[in-house]
């Protein structure tokens, strides 16, 4: 028996800094900024391009925070007699989750924020009084910062000035102080002083128009040859809110996208300029740790990933590909405005859409186009998890997940809905059979019979309805009819051209968009 020691060839960061640990990376980056001030200044200068030298940037004792008020990384600094901040959304995960716009209001109406928000922003946030307006993370944090800007500025300056201000040439409250010096006494309460300052700043819509910058930080971006796309295609992509250089989720109705997209490697290259990570005034162990983290990023995260290279950062490369494919499909519609819009006259003819990095059954990206249908009371299919009859509302649409093209039907509230077990003395099997027959009728009419049946015959063996290509779900309400897109990425050495795939998908989506579902549903004979 030998006493040989086991050697661990993995570094500390290779063992703990897995690329999905978002908070770990945010805390590490914030620590580097706070420990090595010149790294923060290098980064600030790269974002705030008016700054000619890092020597002109002023930093307070603490100037960078991780996970502050739901912001991944917050960086504050002063320059040219003004205070500024940079909000960094550290998007380790591939897609942004959605946040209800209602959370921005704090008990008020959006019209109460006319001093902070533009007319277009208020209109967008108030566009549907009957439903929920959902915002991406970058949309939400941008709007929240605008709405709370005055309060944030006052909190920051009162905290640092306590609140004399005369010694701080960068205070944007100097104007207020000088104009109201007679009313501001040393005995004034902090609460009253803060309230007056916030009111003053909100009344001045021009205060620090460049006060905040927004950075969307992601591990890598998919390598796309933009020269391949014509100017017309690029313009079409812009019309559906897709931009090659801005990869966050942003609705054009909110105005120009203010977020700057950068990769981890771009961040690392910027902050290590001027030998900033080898500051001899810092502890030796801090220098070792910071440089080890930099080396880990350089060795493990690529700045660009080719579409056929999914060994590293596959989640990001695949999702970027899907975002581009999703946008290309939308550009093929004769009326692009039909997407992302709601018809006030007939909401059931509206087309809804979404894209996400993965689903509950896997990490493969997907996108969908669908219609929401309110069913007549005679269609009693669903219950909640307590087996109570539930209001009937279904989604009918098209979903693309990886190489799988699906026509589908499901309950609108999928996670909290199941097929009704018993109702009006009709037992579970009859109710399930009724729902299956209803779904089959819809899927049969909206789908491409020839392509699906050929696919089923050649490549698939469904356990049920295999001759028709139906994919039933015994425990949930999601039913589909599907086929596989030929020569899709990851499956062949030379995958099909992305525009060719987009054309195939858009033809079917166009057919679905123009299909009259009401007649099909009305003609279904329901067993009662």
């Amino acid at each position: 028996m030998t006493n040989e020691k086991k050697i661990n060839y993995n570094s500390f960061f290779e063992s703990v800094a897995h690329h999905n640990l978002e908070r770990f990376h945010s805390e590490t980056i914030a620590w580097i900024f706070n420990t090595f001030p010149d790294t923060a200044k290098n980064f600030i200068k790269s974002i705030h391009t008016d700054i000619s030298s890092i020597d002109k940037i002023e930093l307070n004792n603490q100037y960078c925070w991780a996970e502050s008020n739901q912001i991944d990384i917050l960086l504050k600094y002063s320059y040219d007699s003004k205070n500024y901040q940079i909000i960094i959304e550290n998007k380790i995960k591939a897609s942004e989750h959605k946040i209800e716009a209602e959370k921005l209001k704090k008990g008020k109406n959006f019209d109460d924020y006319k001093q902070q928000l533009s007319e277009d922003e208020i209109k967008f946030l108030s566009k549907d009084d009957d439903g929920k307006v959902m915002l991406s993370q970058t949309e939400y944090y941008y709007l929240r910062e605008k709405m709370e800007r005055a309060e944030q500025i006052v909190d920051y300056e009162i905290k640092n000035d306590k609140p004399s201000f005369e010694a701080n040439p960068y205070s944007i409250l100097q104007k207020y102080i000088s104009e109201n010096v007679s009313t501001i006494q040393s005995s004034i309460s902090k609460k009253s002083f803060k309230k007056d300052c916030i009111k003053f700043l909100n009344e001045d819509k021009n205060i620090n128009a460049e006060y905040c910058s927004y950075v969307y930080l992601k591990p890598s971006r998919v390598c796309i040859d933009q020269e391949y796309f014509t100017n017309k295609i690029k313009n079409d992509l812009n019309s559906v809110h897709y931009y090659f250089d801005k990869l966050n989720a942003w609705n054009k109705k909110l105005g120009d996208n203010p977020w700057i997209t950068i990769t981890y490697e771009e961040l690392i290259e910027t902050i290590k300029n001027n030998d900033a990570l080898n500051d001899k005034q810092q502890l030796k162990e801090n220098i070792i740790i910071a440089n080890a983290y930099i080396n880990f990023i350089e060795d493990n995260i690529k700045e660009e990933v080719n579409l056929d290279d999914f060994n590293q950062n596959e989640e990001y490369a695949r999702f970027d590909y899907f975002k581009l494919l999703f946008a290309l499909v939308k550009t093929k519609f004769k009326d692009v405005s039909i997407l992302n819009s709601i018809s006030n006259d007939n909401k059931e003819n509206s087309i809804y859409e979404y894209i996400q990095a993965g689903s509950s059954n896997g990490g493969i990206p997907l996108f969908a186009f669908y219609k929401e249908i309110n069913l007549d009371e005679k269609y009693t299919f669903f219950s909640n998890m307590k087996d109570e009859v539930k209001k009937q509302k279904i989604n009918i649409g098209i979903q693309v997940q990886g190489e799988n093209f699906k026509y589908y039907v499901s309950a609108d509230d999928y996670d909290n809905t199941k097929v009704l077990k018993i109702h009006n003395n009709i037992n579970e099997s009859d109710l399930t059979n009724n729902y299956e027959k209803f779904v089959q009728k819809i899927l049969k009419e909206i789908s491409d019979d020839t392509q699906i049946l050929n696919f089923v015959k050649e490549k698939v063996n469904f356990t049920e309805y295999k001759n028709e290509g139906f994919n039933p779900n015994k425990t949930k309400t999601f039913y589909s009819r599907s086929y596989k897109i030929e020569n899709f990425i990851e499956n062949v050495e030379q995958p099909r051209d992305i525009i060719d795939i987009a054309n195939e998908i858009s033809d079917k989506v166009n057919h679905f968009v123009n299909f009259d579902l009401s007649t099909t549903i009305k003609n279904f004979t329901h067993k009662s």
Side-chain angles (χ1 to χ4, degrees):
M1 183 174 178
T2 62
N3 292 321
E4 291 183 1
K5 292 182 178 180
K6 181 181 178 181
I7 299 175
N8 184 357
Y9 290 100
N10 291 330
S11 71
F12 170 77
F13 287 105
E14 286 172 335
S15 298
V16 302
H18 304 296
H19 68 270
N20 62 335
L21 297 179
E22 188 170 279
R23 179 153 190 167
F24 180 92
H25 287 282
S26 295
E27 295 277 8
T28 304
I29 292 167
W31 174 80
I32 288 175
F33 281 158
N34 281 321
T35 306
F36 301 88
D38 280 358
T39 64
K41 291 182 178 181
N42 285 337
F43 177 69
I44 291 167
K45 182 175 178 293
S46 73
I47 302 300
H48 193 153
T49 54
D50 289 342
I51 299 176
S52 59
S53 170
I54 64 172
D55 296 333
K56 297 182 179 181
I57 300 171
E58 298 284 341
L59 300 173
N60 287 315
N61 290 333
Q62 184 179 7
Y63 45 86
C64 189
W65 299 262
E67 302 297 330
S68 172
N69 195 20
Q70 297 178 310
I71 295 171
D72 292 333
I73 304 172
L74 178 64
L75 180 60
K76 291 180 178 284
Y77 63 100
S78 301
Y79 166 71
D80 194 23
S81 302
K82 292 181 183 178
N83 288 327
Y84 294 87
Q85 68 178 17
I86 298 174
I87 290 175
I88 302 174
E89 173 62 18
N90 184 16
K91 188 40 63 187
I92 290 292
K93 296 177 182 177
S95 63
E96 302 177 57
H97 68 256
K98 294 289 186 179
I99 306 174
E100 289 184 33
E102 284 289 307
K103 293 184 177 181
L104 293 168
K105 294 166 66 173
K106 293 187 175 180
K108 300 180 182 179
N109 294 319
F110 285 116
D111 284 340
D112 296 330
Y113 292 94
K114 288 181 178 178
Q115 291 175 317
Q116 293 96 322
L117 301 176
S118 69
E119 290 183 10
D120 287 342
E121 289 168 342
I122 293 174
K123 183 178 179 181
F124 176 81
L125 291 169
S126 310
K127 68 180 180 181
D128 185 5
D129 295 332
D130 298 327
K132 297 178 181 178
V133 177
M134 304 301 292
L135 302 171
S136 70
Q137 287 172 280
T138 49
E139 290 168 342
Y140 179 84
Y141 295 140
Y142 167 79
L143 292 166
R144 187 183 68 177
E145 191 280 324
K146 287 189 71 175
M147 294 165 72
E148 299 178 359
R149 177 174 298 180
E151 186 173 353
Q152 289 178 15
I153 292 172
V154 173
D155 277 343
Y156 180 66
E157 296 205 352
I158 287 179
K159 180 180 179 181
N160 282 280
D161 290 327
K162 302 179 181 177
S164 67
F165 296 99
E166 280 80 0
N168 182 2
Y170 301 106
S171 172
I172 46 177
L173 292 176
Q174 283 281 25
K175 181 181 178 183
Y176 173 74
I177 300 293
S178 61
E179 291 178 353
N180 298 274
V181 64
S182 60
T183 59
I184 298 175
Q185 306 296 330
S186 59
S187 60
I188 192 170
S189 74
K190 190 171 182 178
K191 184 176 181 180
S192 175
F193 178 75
K194 175 180 174 180
K195 184 177 179 181
D196 289 341
C197 288
I198 291 173
K199 182 180 178 182
F200 162 74
L201 291 180
N202 276 333
E203 289 174 351
D204 184 359
K205 297 187 73 170
N206 296 316
I207 59 147
N208 277 357
E210 301 172 358
Y211 170 74
C212 190
S213 298
Y214 307 87
V215 173
Y216 187 67
L217 176 63
K218 64 195 304 284
S220 56
R221 67 181 86 211
V222 69
C223 183
I224 300 171
D225 183 6
Q226 293 189 40
E227 299 302 318
Y228 171 75
F229 299 95
T230 65
N231 288 332
K232 181 183 184 308
I233 292 177
K234 289 179 182 179
N235 289 333
D236 288 344
L237 287 169
N238 290 347
S239 72
V240 294
H241 317 142
Y242 181 91
Y243 304 89
F244 286 101
D245 59 336
K246 291 181 181 286
L247 300 175
N248 62 303
W250 186 263
N251 194 307
K252 198 174 182 180
K253 293 178 182 178
L254 289 172
D256 293 336
N257 187 347
W259 290 80
I260 302 167
T261 298
I262 66 170
T263 65
Y264 265 66
E265 188 163 323
E266 289 171 325
L267 170 71
I268 295 308
E269 286 300 313
T270 298
I271 67 176
K272 71 179 187 180
N273 282 341
N274 311 318
D275 207 24
L277 284 164
N278 293 307
D279 185 348
K280 302 305 180 184
Q281 296 181 8
Q282 296 300 325
L283 295 174
K284 184 177 180 180
E285 54 263 41
N286 286 346
I287 296 174
I288 293 172
I289 292 170
N291 280 281
Y293 179 73
I294 298 301
N295 291 336
F296 167 78
I297 297 299
E298 290 177 333
D299 292 342
N300 290 275
I301 300 181
K302 298 179 181 179
E303 181 176 354
E304 290 189 337
V305 181
N306 292 320
L307 292 179
D308 57 353
D309 178 14
F310 293 128
N311 293 323
Q312 291 277 2
N313 308 283
E314 67 173 66
E315 180 181 2
Y316 308 100
R318 189 189 289 116
F319 187 61
D320 278 357
Y321 176 91
F322 262 76
K323 284 194 287 188
L324 176 57
L325 179 61
F326 182 53
L328 285 169
V329 170
K330 291 197 287 185
T331 66
K332 305 297 179 181
F333 284 89
K334 293 178 181 177
D335 180 11
V336 172
S337 64
I338 195 170
L339 298 176
N340 253 339
S341 64
I342 296 177
S343 167
N344 293 324
D345 299 326
N346 188 355
K347 290 189 177 183
E348 287 198 358
N349 277 337
S350 297
I351 302 298
Y352 299 84
E353 36 109 333
Y354 65 86
I355 182 170
Q356 58 193 50
S359 64
S360 58
N361 61 359
I364 300 175
L366 61 89
F367 58 79
F369 303 93
Y370 66 97
K371 296 181 181 182
E372 290 182 354
I373 307 293
N374 288 303
L375 292 178
D376 190 273
E377 290 182 359
K378 69 177 182 178
Y379 301 104
T380 310
F381 295 134
F382 304 138
S383 74
N384 58 23
M385 294 306 171
K386 296 180 180 180
D387 295 324
E388 299 167 334
V389 177
K390 192 169 185 178
K391 185 179 178 181
Q392 309 302 296
K393 192 173 184 179
I394 59 173
N395 293 341
I396 302 174
I398 285 174
Q399 184 187 90
V400 178
Q401 183 171 26
E403 63 180 345
N404 296 305
F405 184 101
K406 304 175 184 178
Y407 298 91
Y408 76 93
V409 178
S410 76
D412 180 56
D413 187 12
Y414 173 76
D415 291 330
N416 301 302
T417 305
K418 58 183 181 178
V419 178
L420 195 63
K421 286 187 176 181
I422 188 167
H423 183 64
N424 292 342
N425 297 320
I426 303 175
N427 63 35
E428 181 177 3
S429 62
D430 285 338
L431 287 168
T432 301
N433 287 337
N434 270 337
Y435 180 60
E436 287 181 351
K437 290 175 183 177
F438 173 74
V439 168
Q440 286 180 53
K441 182 175 179 62
I442 292 174
L443 293 177
K444 182 84 171 175
E445 293 203 21
I446 67 173
S447 57
D448 185 331
D449 241 10
T450 304
Q451 196 158 17
I452 288 179
L453 294 181
N454 287 341
F455 168 66
V456 171
K457 182 179 178 181
E458 294 174 9
K459 302 178 182 178
V460 174
N461 182 23
F462 284 111
T463 57
E464 194 169 350
Y465 313 119
K466 62 181 180 181
N467 293 327
E468 296 292 331
F470 292 103
N471 188 14
N473 189 327
K474 289 299 183 184
T475 59
K476 287 283 194 175
T477 63
F478 186 96
Y479 281 64
S480 66
R481 200 177 189 213
S482 63
Y483 74 94
K484 293 189 184 296
I485 300 170
E486 291 185 4
N487 296 334
F488 199 64
I489 59 170
E490 302 183 72
N491 298 320
V492 291
E493 291 184 3
Q494 293 184 325
R496 281 167 63 195
D497 179 87
I498 191 170
I499 294 178
D500 187 36
I501 294 176
N503 287 336
E504 176 184 330
I505 296 171
S506 62
D507 285 345
K508 293 175 175 54
V509 175
N510 238 331
H511 172 75
F512 168 73
V513 165
N514 295 295
F515 188 86
D516 182 9
L517 288 169
S518 59
T519 303
T520 300
I521 293 172
K522 287 177 183 177
N523 290 340
F524 176 74
T525 302
H526 188 284
K527 182 175 180 179
S528 58

